[in-house]
Amino acid sequence: MEHIAVNPWAALAYLIAGVCFILALRGLSSPATSQRGNAFGMAGMTIAVVTTLITHVPYDLAAGAAAGFSSEEPIFDTVTMLEILGAIVVGAVIGLVTARKIAMTDMPQLVAAFHSLVGLAAVLVAAAAFLNPEAFGIATLLVSDTGPPVVHILPVSRIEMGLGVAIGAITFSGSVIAFLKLNGNMGGKPIMLPGRHVINLAVLAGIVGLVAYFTQDQSPWIFWTITGLSFAIGFLLIIPIGGADMPVVVSMLNSYSGWAAAAMGFTLHNTAMIITGALVGSSGAILSYIMCKAMNRSFISVIAGGFGADTSGGGAAAATDRPWKRGSAEDAAFLMSQAEQVVIVPGYGMAVAQAQHALREMADKLKAHGVRVKYAIHPVAGRMPGHMNVLLAEANVPYDEVFELEDINSEFAQTDVAFVIGANDVTNPAAKTDKSSPIYGMPVLDVEKAKTVLFIKRSMGGVGYAGVDNDVFYMDNTMMLLADAKKMVEEIVKSLD
């Protein structure tokens, strides 16, 4: 049994940890301060873990009683403490090895996997609290004259428990599907189930109703039904969402994991978990809003189904019959070497080909020729928020050369060459002109306004995740470079020598 020692310094320590987490989020808002932000995050987590270990020292009251000690003098539970420390060491080793070996191009999958673990942890904590509420200090013993004593879980704790297990289970199962989609184990296209809206609404209503009923009746079937339905709705919500909406999904799951942690923080009476969960939950919600705004979509429309869900498969085939110009690496190298300014627009194609290092080398060659080079980043380029920024940072691209959409879009009209590497939907002018397009209204990069557009893609037969063709391919000022992105950029680098 756990003996909770009251430490007057615990609240102050948790407050310091919370401040560190806030500073970590602030630092991570910019690549230039991201290392400092990570340092604050690690410091805050270290303070929180150490404080928790000190204030929740495990004691074996039964062993103390057997040894003749009073309840105020329990024996330190060495075995339990070693188990806790062992679990921390195992987790630290797994995290360290994963962080060192994971490729930057696989970062979206890693983030989804981490979210799933947070959700699963919330489910396990809620289950432990339900099965042994006395150890968590969330129950009272009701003595009856007609029967044995009954362990009564406090109603407020049941609310926390019900919400925590529901949000945690949704986070876990939803993150598993997101991981499979991002990792290529499942198709990136939306998987539309018949009657999905009715099913999803019915399941969500059932979960809310059961959580409310759980406050009146603590029967085990209610708790486990909530858990099962929440696992199911996580799968059902994410399966219909396509790859183009993955940035929103990742930030949404990030928010869910934070709220799950906050709910469990109340159950565990842990201030640090409440603060951290609230920070993660609110920041994830704000980021989801920013992502949706960048796509001109509502959060509900993302959950209802992904881009391309209603498009037919014949659009791309018909579009390739239109005239277009094909160029070579030598053509691209000549055009860019003669330019005053080149704006590079990276997208998911760059990430798949792992072309970021070759791209930086190309930019260095161009700058040696006196060309001004900038990078234009769309908020939802790639498969997670900041995906392109992370890849460019890995290739040591200077921070002052990287610009967000709203900061650089006006410069395309004065740009000699727009070099687009695997960014389809975020450069599609149909978002501005075609009201029937599924991406209509989404802010896009105005690459078509540049004097010349060099567009790298594998073939003319493919379309982006939105399922619509890009008119930029067929414009008079566009030259298509059909090849693997990394190989094409490497050939351009050779031609620049």
Side-chain angles (χ1 to χ4, degrees):
M1 183 176 179
E2 186 182 48
H3 175 73
I4 301 177
V6 178
N7 191 319
W9 297 99
L12 177 61
Y14 284 143
L15 178 61
I16 295 173
V19 171
C20 287
F21 293 141
I22 294 172
L23 294 174
L25 287 175
R26 179 68 183 88
L28 292 173
S29 64
S30 168
T33 57
S34 59
Q35 288 186 331
R36 186 172 61 199
N38 272 323
F40 276 119
M42 290 186 287
M45 184 56 67
T46 300
I47 293 171
V49 171
V50 171
T51 302
T52 301
L53 288 176
I54 292 175
T55 56
H56 293 72
V57 176
Y59 287 95
D60 190 337
L61 299 183
F69 293 106
S70 66
S71 59
E72 289 79 17
E73 299 176 294
I75 291 180
F76 177 73
D77 192 343
T78 306
V79 175
T80 301
M81 179 56 78
L82 289 176
E83 289 176 348
I84 294 171
L85 295 177
I88 293 175
V89 171
V90 170
V93 170
I94 293 174
L96 182 63
V97 172
T98 302
R100 288 185 175 275
K101 289 190 173 183
I102 194 73
M104 294 299 288
T105 49
D106 294 333
M107 197 57 64
Q109 296 94 300
L110 180 65
V111 172
F114 281 166
H115 290 162
S116 72
L117 294 178
V118 175
L120 184 60
V123 172
L124 295 176
V125 170
F130 177 73
L131 295 173
N132 191 16
E134 308 102 302
F136 289 79
I138 59 174
T140 58
L141 193 63
L142 298 181
V143 180
S144 173
D145 296 333
T146 60
V150 177
V151 177
H152 176 73
I153 302 176
L154 301 176
V156 67
S157 296
R158 294 188 218 170
I159 296 175
E160 299 160 1
M161 200 182 302
L163 292 176
V165 74
I167 300 173
I170 292 172
T171 304
F172 172 75
S173 54
S175 298
V176 169
I177 296 298
F179 173 87
L180 294 175
K181 283 178 173 282
L182 291 166
N183 203 45
N185 303 104
M186 290 181 66
K189 297 295 183 182
I191 301 174
M192 297 302 169
L193 303 176
R196 65 187 185 280
H197 298 309
V198 175
I199 296 173
N200 291 348
L201 287 173
V203 175
L204 287 172
I207 292 172
V208 173
L210 285 171
V211 171
Y213 185 51
F214 189 50
T215 62
Q216 306 300 317
D217 185 347
Q218 65 180 48
S219 298
W221 74 267
I222 302 175
F223 177 83
W224 298 116
T225 302
I226 293 172
T227 306
L229 289 177
S230 300
F231 278 127
I233 196 62
F235 287 115
L236 294 173
L237 285 175
I238 307 302
I239 282 177
I241 300 177
D245 288 326
M246 274 301 139
V248 179
V249 172
V250 171
S251 61
M252 176 189 71
L253 292 171
N254 176 56
S255 180
Y256 288 178
S257 67
W259 299 125
M264 290 302 95
F266 283 105
T267 300
L268 295 174
H269 308 293
N270 190 297
T271 308
M273 280 189 67
I274 298 171
I275 295 173
T276 307
L279 287 172
V280 174
S282 56
S283 61
I286 294 170
L287 187 57
S288 297
Y289 169 77
I290 294 172
M291 294 292 104
C292 287
K293 185 178 180 181
M295 300 166 70
N296 193 39
R297 307 189 72 203
S298 68
F299 179 78
I300 298 300
S301 67
V302 173
I303 295 299
F307 274 153
D310 301 321
T311 57
S312 62
T320 56
D321 294 334
R322 299 163 61 184
W324 54 278
K325 292 187 294 186
R326 181 167 187 168
S328 64
E330 292 77 14
D331 297 329
F334 175 78
L335 288 169
M336 288 192 289
S337 64
Q338 301 302 310
E340 291 186 7
Q341 175 167 293
V342 173
V343 176
I344 300 171
V345 181
Y348 187 58
M350 183 195 76
V352 172
Q354 301 188 39
Q356 62 269 24
H357 295 282
L359 193 66
R360 185 197 58 79
E361 187 178 358
M362 184 191 80
D364 290 343
K365 295 276 187 181
L366 290 174
K367 285 185 282 187
H369 282 79
V371 181
R372 185 168 60 254
V373 178
K374 295 183 178 182
Y375 297 80
I377 307 297
H378 194 280
V380 295
R383 292 296 172 265
M384 62 175 279
H387 194 181
M388 296 300 104
N389 303 75
V390 169
L391 295 178
L392 294 178
E394 183 204 13
N396 295 318
V397 171
Y399 303 138
D400 58 357
E401 294 179 4
V402 181
F403 297 87
E404 299 298 328
L405 177 146
E406 61 271 13
D407 298 322
I408 201 171
N409 227 12
S410 61
E411 292 193 29
F412 280 106
Q414 292 80 43
T415 296
D416 297 296
V417 178
F419 186 83
V420 185
I421 176 168
N424 190 353
D425 297 329
V426 299
T427 61
N428 196 333
K432 298 176 287 187
T433 59
D434 186 2
K435 292 185 178 181
S436 64
S437 173
I439 63 172
Y440 178 72
M442 182 178 84
V444 294
L445 292 161
D446 298 331
V447 297
E448 75 279 3
K449 294 181 179 180
K451 294 178 182 178
T452 301
V453 179
L454 299 176
F455 210 118
I456 297 181
K457 66 194 303 282
R458 287 184 177 273
S459 70
M460 293 298 293
V463 293
Y465 270 112
V468 292
D469 203 38
N470 193 338
D471 286 339
V472 172
F473 302 160
Y474 314 103
M475 292 182 173
D476 293 336
N477 63 331
T478 299
M479 183 180 292
M480 300 301 299
L481 307 174
L482 303 184
D484 174 80
K486 184 178 181 180
K487 291 181 180 179
M488 175 57 71
V489 175
E490 288 174 343
E491 291 178 8
I492 293 173
V493 170
K494 293 178 182 178
S495 300
L496 287 170
D497 290 331

